[in-house]
Amino acid sequence: MCGIIGIVGNASVTDRLIQGLKRLEYRGYDSAGVAVISDGNLLRERAEGKIAALEAKLGSNPIDGPVGIAHTRWATHGVPNETNAHPHFAGRVCIVHNGIIENFLDLRQSLNGRNFRTETDTEVVAHLVDEEMSNGASAKEAFQSTLAKLKGAYAFGMVIDGEDDKLFAARAGSPLAIGIGDGEMYLGSDALALAQLTSDLVYLEEGDWAILTSDGYEIFDRHNNAVERDVTVIVGGPAMADKGGYAHYMLKEIHEQPETVSRTLSNYIDEFRQTPSLPTDIDFAEIDRVILVACGTASFAGEVAKYWFEQVAGLAADVDIASEFRYRKPVLSENSLFIAVSQSGETADTLAALRYCKSHGVKTAALVNVMTSTMAREADIALPTHAGPEIGVASTKAFTSQLTALAALVIKAASDRKTIDSEAVSDHIKALMSVPGLIAQSLQDEPHIQEVAKTLTSAEHAFFLGRGQFVPIAFEGALKLKEISYIHAESYAAGELKHGPIALIEDGTPVVVVAPMDELFEKTLSNAQEVISRGAEIYMVTDKAGQQHAAGAARHILQIPECHNFVSPILTTIPLQLLAYYTAVHLGTDVDQPRNLAKSVTVE
Ligand code: F6R
């Protein structure tokens, strides 16, 4: 949601806080702010909009000091203006926050006589700490007793006037890490924030709070006992957050896919033995149902896996959108395997679904891209996707790595449950192993797709259709297009269009049909004809055989290489990513940071 960073040391912090904030900007970019303690004074600067706006203000009104906190916001409570931008002040206290304090209204009412300046839930926390200190508590006591009053999710960074050599931190429901430096300590929402400062991180656990000074830190658990937490050494360092010469992170990440899928494969397949080799073994013979729960793009990976689990492994699979799952009180059986699918491993709804299943005795796995995430730590089985840091807000390489890892799980399930013989296992593995090369081949169509994308720029609406395992791919294609180009895009199972939505088709309406040649191809083509005869223009994502059959029906063909039907959902994703990307570029939108979005959604 929001990103926070802090430094306590002996040298200037403002520039480094701003650099760290820029690496966190993918988490939110409605407003940004920084506060420092300088010679006993608490100074603050904030700006509506992106970090560049904050930088411009700091240019004309510089503030600096050896201790500071900073924040980039994705608004929840209170409109995204400067007043509501963090850090928030109350008396001697200054705080940044990622999360939502659910009982903030009750707490505000309990603080009679205090002057609230913002509409945020966060400000009340600063007031609570300041109030406790005004009543004689030490800063540490005030922080501790304030945390006990809060309901909801938070990661806090806090500085206090008069406690100039300290940074206060706390975590419940939102990620937060301490970075260990030489003569200074850091605080950050994730490893990226601190990538240029240190590679030694200590991830705070649920309910932990901490006090950092320039030469050390103390961590306390939710019962206020002093605790030790492991130090994690992060590999990758500053290069993690580099665009590598591409115009956008999204384009870089699209182009990384031959390599990222390869990396996923090497962690899920034993190529020498031609067998699946999962990071943690799962015996699917003991499982009678897979429950895949996720949000957004990750949920579409789950939807594809449902087809695969059922068709290849004969294993019942349910897919749920995480925000719905736990509130509908799902009926769970002990022999189920719950799989949370999540790039960040922090998405609040998916995490809540995981916890729900765990508390009901269901075995849980987390397929995540961030192995230091809460889901990876809390699930019984952590399954890394190995896509590497994904900075573009629109998910690309994380999705294809999710699909790849899920495909390997499906082959393992089919093998354990003996629904396919060893020859077929080997066939599926060969198909999967060919994917990195085929993605590289698909990417060569980029100049053509760049041209085709120009024809979409004048569209107000677009439709995406598919059948079978391509329904979720159609949904993913539409989501990519709407989130970065702001063109209204709707996706349907191709057979469903005539039950209502076809009324929206007019002359020139773009309809993207995802249909490589398979046993459903002719039916999808008939659905394409139904919209063509009502004026639609077809953009067809298909293979050579599909192109030959479609003969003239499609205005534009986005061709994928010949591949095994099992892996074609992964391959059809690539042209859809490029189509969305170039449409957005032609329209001049902010591709990496589209409006209203944030990368990691840690609120419900
Ligand atoms: C879309 C996108 C989102 C995420 C969703 C879940 O491009 O990125 O739909 O897929 O917010 O996020 P994770 O995978 O981090 O749980």
Side-chain angles (χ1 to χ4, degrees), residues 273-456:
R273 293 192 176 78
Q274 293 280 294
T275 53
S277 168
L278 309 186
T280 304
D281 191 32
I282 301 171
D283 185 355
F284 283 92
E286 291 175 352
I287 290 164
D288 59 18
R289 178 169 292 276
V290 174
I291 307 162
L292 297 135
V293 176
C295 299
T297 288
S299 76
F300 304 140
E303 294 279 1
V304 174
K306 173 185 165 72
Y307 282 90
W308 287 339
F309 272 118
E310 291 183 348
Q311 295 196 353
V312 183
L315 180 57
D318 292 330
V319 188
D320 257 284
I321 289 169
S323 52
E324 289 297 316
F325 178 73
R326 65 189 166 132
Y327 294 115
R328 72 173 173 79
K329 298 198 171 50
V331 179
L332 301 167
S333 74
E334 269 183 20
N335 296 336
S336 299
L337 173 67
F338 170 92
I339 307 178
V341 186
S342 173
Q343 190 283 128
S344 61
E346 301 292 350
T347 301
D349 288 313
T350 312
L351 178 60
L354 188 154
R355 288 177 176 158
Y356 180 91
C357 282
K358 235 183 138 172
S359 70
H360 285 75
V362 173
K363 191 173 179 132
T364 57
L367 180 63
V368 292
N369 199 32
V370 182
M371 274 304 272
T372 48
S373 62
T374 313
M375 283 182 222
R377 277 183 278 129
E378 293 196 9
D380 300 315
I381 302 168
L383 299 168
T385 42
H386 292 289
E390 192 181 64
I391 314 285
V393 165
S395 187
T396 52
K397 63 176 182 170
F399 179 64
T400 47
S401 279
Q402 284 160 355
L403 287 175
T404 304
L406 287 165
L409 258 59
V410 168
I411 300 173
K412 175 69 165 61
S415 165
D416 288 349
R417 299 165 60 80
K418 305 197 188 329
T419 51
I420 57 177
D421 60 17
S422 60
E423 205 176 314
V425 167
S426 167
D427 265 5
H428 281 77
I429 285 183
K430 279 201 190 96
L432 210 45
M433 297 304 292
S434 70
V435 170
L438 294 173
I439 294 180
Q441 217 173 303
S442 294
L443 289 170
Q444 287 171 13
D445 203 24
E446 183 173 358
H448 168 234
I449 297 175
Q450 188 170 359
E451 281 306 301
V452 172
K454 285 186 185 154
T455 66
L456 273 183

Side-chain angles (χ1 to χ4, degrees), residues 116-144:
F116 285 89
R117 299 183 197 94
T118 78
E119 298 157 349
T120 68
D121 52 330
T122 306
E123 192 185 358
V124 73
V125 183
H127 278 284
L128 283 168
V129 177
D130 190 58
E131 178 80 5
E132 293 271 354
M133 289 194 304
S134 311
N135 293 335
S138 68
K140 182 177 172 183
E141 288 161 354
F143 190 43
Q144 181 182 326

Side-chain angles (χ1 to χ4, degrees), residues 10 14 17 42 45 51 115 126 139 169 199 201 241 243 255 312-313 394 426 454 458 478 520 531-532 548 561 588:
N10 300 299
T14 304
L17 288 173
L42 247 175
E45 191 60 81
I51 291 159
N115 178 20
S199 51
L201 297 191
K243 274 190 211 157
H255 277 268
V312 183
S426 167
K454 285 186 185 154
S458 53
L520 298 173
V531 291
I532 289 170
Q548 281 160 0

